[in-house]
Amino acid sequence: MKQRKVKNAQKFTIGMKKKLVVLFVLVLLAFVGLGVRLILITKNNGEEYQKQVLSQQQYDSTTLPFRRGEILDANNTVLAYSEKVYNVILDAKLLLRSDKYVEPTIKALVKCFGLDAGEIRSYLQDHPGSQYYILAKKLTYDQISEFQGLITIGSDTYDENIQGVWFEASYIRKYPNNTLACDIIGFTSSDNNGMYGLEEYYNSVLSGTPGREYGYLDDDSQLERTTIPATDGDSIVTTIDGNLQNIVERHLQEFNDTYANNARQGNGANNVGCIMMDVNTGEILAMASYPFFDLNNPRDTSRLIGMPSVDEKGNKVKGESIYDSGVYITQEMIDGFSDEVLYQNYNALWKNYCISDTYEPGSVAKPFTVATALESGSITGDEVYNCKGFLEVGGWEIKCHNTYGDGAVSVERGIEISCNVAMMYVAQATGVNTFTKFQKDFGFGLKTNIDLAGEARTEGLTYSAANMTPTDLATNSFGQGFNVDMIEMITGFCSLINGGYYYEPHVVKKIVSSSGATIKNIEPRILRQTISQSTSDKIVQYCNKVVAGEEGTGKTARPAGYMIGGKTGTAQTLPRGNHQYVVSFMGYAPADDPQIAIYVVVDRPNVTFQADAKYATRIVRAILTEALPYLNFPMTEELSEKEQAELAELREQLVTTYVSENAEEQTEENTEETEEAATESSSEETVEEKDRSSIWESFSKDPATGYLVDPNTGNMVDPDSGAVLGGDDLPDFNEAPNAASSASSN
């Protein structure tokens, strides 16, 4: 057994030894060959490879930021600009080349920037090979100038022992007026791209082209640099007058301060918007909606408090009852918002209500109805209709705003007192085909293409002739049943009062280069003519009566010292019967020669009885009382003692310019002429028109609210117009006709 095992044992033979020696020699020769090759590369091509490696270092190619263009108001006041700032960058690898650099550099960083020396040392110890670490962000030049002197060769304070620190330049967007014109301007994201408003719409204009700094090595292996400078963005000059914008925003804020947390918790209304426009150019002079937000801090959650809350899809959260206008944001709700819900509520805050939200306009649409009928020849303007408080159309009793009836109503008086029945008769005379054609001519259902990001599309929110029923025609005649946005309404209205010229609205009037040279002037652009001059003159005449007439629903809109024209509106919201209203006033000044238009919309005011256009007319009055003197329009009306005191107080508080004292003499003369004209107009009024029902005038007044009270129903009644508040609900036309009542707006 043992012998057999010895015979089978493997032995390290001579042949195997020879093979191993050969393998060893081959490996040794390979290493020798590699060594020789490395020596040859180093000797013959070392400098070339050194340049290639060095030229690929990160610091050899640097992007140079561009400066975003400015946004200026019509007076060249800066609304938005970009400020150059610097990040402090630490190059640990460079600093650690020598121990003599470390302490002087750290000491200088602590002294100039207040940095923590221990944190810097810890970073150097943990990341000795790092070449890019941000020590401080977004410092101004004044903040870095002291340290800049320490590292700049040739400066008085230069210290050669301070190494491994450099400054990375960039720009941040600044808005010197914080909330002013926030809806118009918009803001920029962290990557310098525009969001909302002008910043987004004109992003390509405001943005420039980045520059580049390239590094390369000369024949002596010294680093040289070539710089391609950045091209700064162009600036835009807007049509916005900063003083008018400030006046508008201040009075929207006052409205909110007055009515916030009134009938419910929350802001003074779901939304409040105002647009001022040049009637004859389409230029936007001011545009604002409440609530505002700070452009320098758009994600300030405190601005959300009091707004209607929206869900993760951006839809408004419904209250427990149809009578609730929404669910209003509190700090506790904000604390519980998910990131998606929080963003959607920010989005609701950042949107410009004046161009992005749609609603049923209500009676501000009545001048369009009359203009359509006059221009098409469907009526002459001399017609008189009998208002019994309702009109039966398609099996429905659709009520007037004055459910007690207005009696004999002329076309002019139909606008003055805002009679729904008269408008329904006018629309019936016009017909579906003509009515819908003119709606498109006035811009309803179409985008105006205003140069702001976020304009709503209302296509599909108006009727075509093919799908409009007699009932739809009736309700459309007084501004219910179709949706618009604010910019659509005021743009179309300007064409009603300027001779029929429909101008494309715009916010920017000029684009200028960074050097100040004009690149492009944006001139007024007439898109079409909606009505004739004669029809326009009649609409102005009718709308003047809304403010100046004895029965005018807009008397409370008249500013101190001026006569204006316009139209009130009170529109019911969906679902019908929820007692939620959008109230508004669309006006112009001066009354005899419209130059500026103003439109104020109050979406569901925070009051018990919302159906009162005075919540809008009072804002208009407050704004125009300041704005018209600032715009140097001469006064046309005699000032009462109360108005004189009001203007005197304004002069003390404001820096805006008011008309001279001798304007009061001119005012007295103009007032006498106005009174004479009013007397003549009154004398021409027919006997039939004066014979009208006014049963509501005998109702007793509720001292707590100032409204009249119908003793039979308990309904609140507007003492000026006879409108029943909260009792004028349109029927649900999706159900079968049941002679249900309906009323709209005043």
Side-chain angles (χ1 to χ4, degrees), residues 368 442 444 487-497 502 530:
F368 294 92
F442 293 131
F444 300 154
I487 192 61
E488 273 183 3
M489 286 300 293
I490 193 170
T491 304
F493 186 73
C494 284
S495 78
L496 291 186
I497 59 176
Y502 187 99
T530 57

Side-chain angles (χ1 to χ4, degrees), residues 175-334:
Y175 303 94
N177 300 296
N178 298 319
T179 62
L180 186 73
C182 57
D183 288 322
I184 300 171
I185 298 172
F187 53 95
T188 58
S189 61
S190 58
D191 58 358
N192 209 26
N193 282 315
M195 298 178 64
Y196 301 89
L198 293 170
E199 293 278 27
E200 179 177 338
Y201 190 92
Y202 285 96
N203 186 61
S204 61
V205 173
L206 295 165
S207 297
T209 304
R212 198 80 177 174
E213 187 177 59
Y214 296 94
Y216 66 94
L217 296 172
D218 60 16
D219 294 338
D220 298 324
S221 297
Q222 297 298 313
L223 185 65
E224 299 288 342
R225 296 189 180 276
T226 296
T227 300
I228 300 176
T231 302
D232 292 339
D234 298 326
S235 296
I236 56 178
V237 180
T238 70
T239 61
I240 300 299
D241 186 315
N243 292 322
L244 289 179
Q245 184 73 25
N246 182 63
I247 291 171
V248 167
E249 293 189 11
R250 184 156 38 79
H251 287 293
L252 296 190
Q253 182 67 59
E254 287 177 1
F255 176 88
N256 188 74
D257 293 343
T258 301
Y259 293 103
N261 304 317
N262 184 31
R264 53 164 171 74
Q265 292 298 307
N267 289 337
N270 280 14
N271 294 283
V272 186
C274 176
I275 302 176
M276 293 184 70
M277 179 185 283
D278 188 315
V279 169
N280 298 306
T281 64
E283 293 183 352
I284 304 298
L285 305 178
M287 176 187 286
S289 63
Y290 191 89
F292 313 130
F293 62 92
D294 188 347
L295 292 169
N296 293 306
N297 184 19
R299 288 175 173 78
D300 178 6
T301 56
S302 67
R303 300 283 178 172
L304 299 174
I305 296 175
M307 287 177 52
S309 177
V310 298
D311 59 22
E312 64 277 358
K313 295 182 179 180
N315 299 318
K316 192 173 76 170
V317 177
K318 295 181 179 180
E320 297 180 358
S321 165
I322 65 168
Y323 303 109
D324 296 330
S325 298
V327 175
Y328 297 89
I329 298 175
T330 63
Q331 184 60 55
E332 291 73 20
M333 291 172 62
I334 293 173

Side-chain angles (χ1 to χ4, degrees), residues 396-412:
W396 301 94
E397 279 190 4
I398 304 179
K399 286 187 177 180
C400 188
H401 81 286
N402 177 6
T403 57
Y404 307 101
D406 290 310
V409 181
S410 67
V411 176
E412 181 179 66

Side-chain angles (χ1 to χ4, degrees), residues 549-613:
E550 180 183 348
E551 300 178 277
T553 58
K555 290 184 289 187
T556 52
R558 187 182 75 79
Y562 296 89
M563 183 52 67
I564 65 171
K567 186 68 192 77
T568 53
T570 308
Q572 300 169 37
T573 64
L574 294 172
R576 305 303 187 202
N578 63 358
H579 304 314
Q580 309 295 321
Y581 295 84
V582 175
V583 297
S584 58
F585 182 83
M586 182 100 72
Y588 54 84
D592 58 347
D593 182 23
Q595 298 295 314
I596 64 165
I598 183 171
Y599 186 27
V600 169
V601 173
V602 182
D603 176 16
R604 281 159 275 207
N606 191 349
V607 294
T608 303
F609 301 105
Q610 298 181 9
D612 193 338

Side-chain angles (χ1 to χ4, degrees), residues 655-675:
V655 295
T656 52
T657 305
Y658 287 86
V659 294
S660 59
E661 294 181 1
N662 59 15
E664 294 183 6
E665 298 177 4
Q666 180 183 1
T667 297
E668 293 178 3
E669 296 176 4
N670 292 337
T671 303
E672 292 175 2
E673 294 176 3
T674 303
E675 290 175 351

